[in-house]
């Protein structure tokens, strides 16, 4: 990818209008499909928060058992995240996405057979194993196509499916669990797992035929356009320093990789409050109908969608990442700490949940633009995988801890407040651990 400017630039007129037109075409070709794939992934992994409203009583599970099982998804996720991302270059994006999506679709569908806590733990763990590698793989795939000055908006557009999944996923979950309860002799929560699992299998098959492994394999690009993208992407990267150390070894020894991983841990910890406990919080406000819980859940996720778009767009406009992330982390923290202090006040609770959503999804919009400042070349796949792997542990630790606290105290308040303190820690990590000069350097290199 490190192609000299003199060899490639003349092949395509480097005018702003032609450059924008090229990347607009690439965006329209790839991002909507990746958006839908990630949308299905998020619905599959978080549908358990809605299914909980029925199966917790029907199967006799405790809150602690639910919290542990919900979190075990992330324990399984980290097992295959790093190796999947490292081997993505060898097997290609098409084969990788086919394997991952078909496997997680089957794992989600088969969750309708769960009857005991042990089966629930195993099912969630296997779902995480199946999905491991998808998210960091797509992040890596985006780096094949877009230079640094485009990544903020592209990441935001792709990850907009995260809050959007909460917006539509709640409505879908409520409709399936209410409308199909008793169909084929199954409970509503069983029909939910079947209904959200099958689309993943279909999309995995479609992805194999639709996605090119990289710009070089894209039949819808001209040779000059393929060369220009390769040159533009290479130009925006930091100069790689040759090393005899393996890419994984270099990533493991990179201090900022671990700082970013810890910051991502705090982000994932915060989002679990919304995805895994949000429906329970809304139900505790007196909204007992499952379908209505789904509709009310759409309010904070709508705020999250707006946050991802606005924060991502403004971050690209002013070419600033750190303070956008810090501000959003503190917003999520304030929402969680305030939510823990209100009891039974519906309007205020929805407002504070919406503050969490604004903060969390604003963080998502800019977070992965920051590692681009210190990850380049061969180290990028391993570095991204380490960051997302360690960060994903927040999705295991926090739900298990909140479930244990809920069982021990009968209240979610202490667990929610803890998630707020974790978000504050994320803001401090980025403030102290990722220097502003580093971020300015990568933006200046791009422009």
């Amino acid at each position: 990818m490190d192609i000299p400017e003199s060899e490639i630039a003349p092949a395509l007129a480097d005018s702003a209008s032609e450059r924008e037109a090229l990347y607009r075409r690439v965006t329209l070709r790839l991002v909507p499909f990746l958006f839908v794939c990630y949308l299905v992934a998020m619905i599959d992994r978080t549908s358990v928060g809605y299914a909980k409203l029925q199966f917790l009583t029907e199967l006799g599970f405790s809150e602690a058992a639910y919290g542990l099982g919900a979190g075990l998804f992330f324990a399984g996720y980290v097992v295959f995240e790093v190796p999947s991302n490292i081997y993505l270059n060898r097997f290609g994006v098409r084969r990788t996405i086919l394997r991952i999506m078909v496997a997680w679709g089957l794992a989600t569908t088969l969750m309708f057979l769960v009857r005991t806590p042990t089966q629930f733990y195993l099912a969630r763990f296997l779902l995480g194993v199946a999905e491991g590698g998808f998210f960091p793989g797509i992040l890596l795939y985006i780096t094949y196509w877009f230079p640094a000055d485009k990544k903020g908006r592209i990441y935001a557009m792709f990850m907009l499916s995260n809050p959007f999944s909460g917006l539509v996923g709640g409505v879908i979950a409520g409709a399936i669990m209410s409308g199909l309860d008793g169909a084929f002799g199954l409970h509503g929560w069983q029909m939910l797992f079947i209904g959200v699992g099958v689309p993943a299998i279909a999309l995995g098959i479609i992805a194999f035929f639709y996605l090119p492994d990289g710009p070089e394999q894209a039949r819808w690009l001209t040779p000059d356009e393929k060369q220009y993208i390769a040159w533009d992407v290479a130009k925006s990267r930091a100069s790689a320093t040759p090393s005899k150390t393996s890419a994984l070894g270099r990533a493991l020894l990179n201090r900022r990789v671990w700082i970013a991983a810890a910051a991502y841990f705090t982000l994932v910890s915060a989002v679990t409050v919304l995805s895994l406990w949000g429906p329970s919080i809304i139900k505790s406000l007196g909204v007992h109908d499952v379908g209505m819980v789904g509709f009310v859940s759409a309010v904070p996720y709508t705020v999250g969608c707006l946050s991802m778009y606005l924060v991502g767009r403004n971050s690209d406009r002013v070419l600033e990442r750190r303070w956008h992330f810090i501000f959003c982390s503190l917003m999520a923290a304030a929402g969680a700490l305030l939510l823990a202090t209100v009891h039974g006040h519906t309007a205020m609770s929805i407002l504070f949940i919406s503050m969490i959503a604004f903060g969390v999804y604003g963080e998502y919009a800019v977070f992965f633009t920051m590692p681009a400042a210190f990850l380049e070349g061969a180290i990028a796949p391993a570095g991204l995988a380490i960051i997302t792997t360690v960060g994903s542990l927040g999705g295991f630790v926090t739900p298990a801890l909140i479930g244990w606290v809920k069982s021990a105290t009968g209240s979610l308040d202490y667990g929610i407040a803890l998630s707020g303190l974790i978000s504050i820690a994320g803001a401090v990590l980025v403030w102290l651990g990722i220097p502003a000069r580093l971020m300015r350097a990568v933006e200046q290199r791009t422009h």
Side-chain angles (χ1 to χ4, degrees):
M1 296 293 288
D2 298 325
I3 303 172
E5 179 176 352
S6 60
E7 293 182 18
I8 301 302
L12 184 70
D14 193 10
S15 69
S17 60
E18 288 191 45
R19 183 176 188 266
E20 289 302 311
L22 174 59
Y23 284 117
R24 189 181 307 116
R25 185 150 58 90
V26 172
T27 300
L28 291 174
R29 180 79 183 200
L30 298 179
V31 175
F33 183 77
L34 297 177
F35 176 95
V36 172
C37 290
Y38 192 42
L39 174 68
V40 172
M42 293 307 301
I43 291 175
D44 280 11
R45 73 166 68 170
T46 60
S47 58
V48 69
Y50 295 96
K52 167 185 183 284
L53 302 179
Q54 288 184 350
F55 76 65
L56 208 68
T57 300
E58 291 179 5
L59 301 180
F61 289 7
S62 67
E63 291 281 355
Y66 166 74
L68 177 59
L72 277 171
F73 165 88
F74 292 95
Y77 193 91
V78 302
V79 172
F80 274 84
E81 203 166 11
V82 171
S84 178
N85 221 35
I86 291 174
Y87 282 99
L88 182 144
N89 279 327
R90 176 180 298 181
F91 297 109
V93 172
R94 296 162 59 244
R95 290 184 176 86
T96 301
I97 299 303
L98 173 66
R99 169 182 57 80
I100 290 174
M101 296 196 72
V102 170
W104 100 52
L106 289 172
T108 299
T109 301
L110 292 176
M111 282 188 67
F112 86 95
L113 297 173
V114 165
R115 293 293 183 274
T116 68
T118 301
Q119 292 173 349
F120 179 55
Y121 300 154
L122 180 61
R124 287 290 293 179
F125 180 80
L126 290 177
L127 176 59
V129 169
E131 194 181 317
F134 175 78
F135 182 61
I138 297 301
L139 294 181
L140 179 62
Y141 186 57
I142 288 172
T143 68
Y144 296 168
W145 294 87
F146 297 97
D149 66 311
K150 300 292 181 183
K151 288 177 187 174
R153 193 169 302 178
I154 297 301
Y155 283 147
M157 292 171 64
F158 166 60
M159 289 186 288
L160 186 63
S161 55
N162 194 320
F164 192 71
S165 70
L167 196 161
V168 301
V171 176
I172 291 171
I176 292 177
M177 291 173 67
S178 298
L180 296 180
D181 190 24
F184 307 105
L186 300 174
H187 296 290
W189 63 269
Q190 292 174 303
M191 292 301 301
L192 174 61
F193 287 131
I194 295 172
V196 300
V198 171
I201 300 172
L203 278 170
I205 296 171
I206 294 171
F208 180 78
F209 295 99
Y210 182 79
L211 292 177
D213 284 324
E216 297 83 0
Q217 291 77 38
R219 296 180 180 178
W220 38 273
L221 291 176
T222 67
D224 285 351
E225 289 170 337
K226 294 175 184 180
Q227 287 186 320
Y228 182 83
I229 290 174
W231 168 77
D232 204 21
V233 168
K235 183 182 67 171
S236 72
R237 290 177 174 168
S239 298
T241 302
S243 172
K244 295 181 180 179
T245 309
S246 69
L248 178 58
R250 289 162 57 200
L252 288 169
L253 294 173
N254 190 312
R255 177 175 59 89
R256 292 196 179 101
V257 166
W258 292 102
I259 292 172
Y264 191 55
F265 179 100
T266 69
L267 195 168
V268 175
S269 294
V271 81
T272 59
V273 175
L274 290 173
S275 61
L276 299 179
W277 297 98
S280 297
I281 294 172
I282 292 172
K283 185 178 180 180
S284 71
L285 299 175
V287 184
H288 297 297
D289 179 72
V290 176
M292 187 56 64
V293 169
F295 278 106
V296 175
S297 297
V299 175
Y301 283 107
T302 300
V303 173
C305 288
L306 291 173
S307 173
M308 276 201 107
Y309 174 75
L310 294 174
V311 172
R313 180 177 181 178
N314 193 65
S315 175
D316 274 350
R317 183 179 65 84
V318 301
L319 298 177
E320 200 289 320
R321 317 298 184 182
R322 291 171 70 251
W323 287 108
H324 282 75
F325 181 90
I326 292 168
F327 171 79
C328 290
S329 294
L330 296 177
M331 175 71 77
L337 293 172
L338 290 169
L339 180 62
T341 64
V342 296
H343 302 277
H345 195 298
T346 303
M348 294 300 291
S349 295
I350 297 300
L351 172 62
F352 296 146
I353 294 173
S354 297
M355 287 177 62
I356 298 173
F358 183 96
V360 165
Y361 292 115
E363 290 178 81
Y364 266 118
V366 297
F367 176 80
F368 286 100
T369 62
M370 292 189 290
F374 53 84
L375 292 177
E376 75 288 332
I379 195 178
L384 282 173
I386 291 170
I387 290 168
T388 55
T389 296
V390 174
S392 294
L393 291 175
F396 168 66
V397 174
T398 305
L401 186 58
I402 292 177
W404 177 80
V405 171
K406 176 66 165 60
S407 290
T409 65
S411 172
L412 283 172
D413 292 342
Y414 297 105
I416 293 171
L418 177 61
S419 76
L421 296 177
I422 292 173
S423 290
I424 293 175
V428 174
L429 279 167
V430 169
W431 176 44
L432 297 178
I434 300 182
R437 67 179 183 278
L438 188 65
M439 300 307 302
R440 284 196 297 269
V442 76
E443 299 297 357
Q444 289 170 359
R445 188 167 62 247
T446 302
H447 286 74

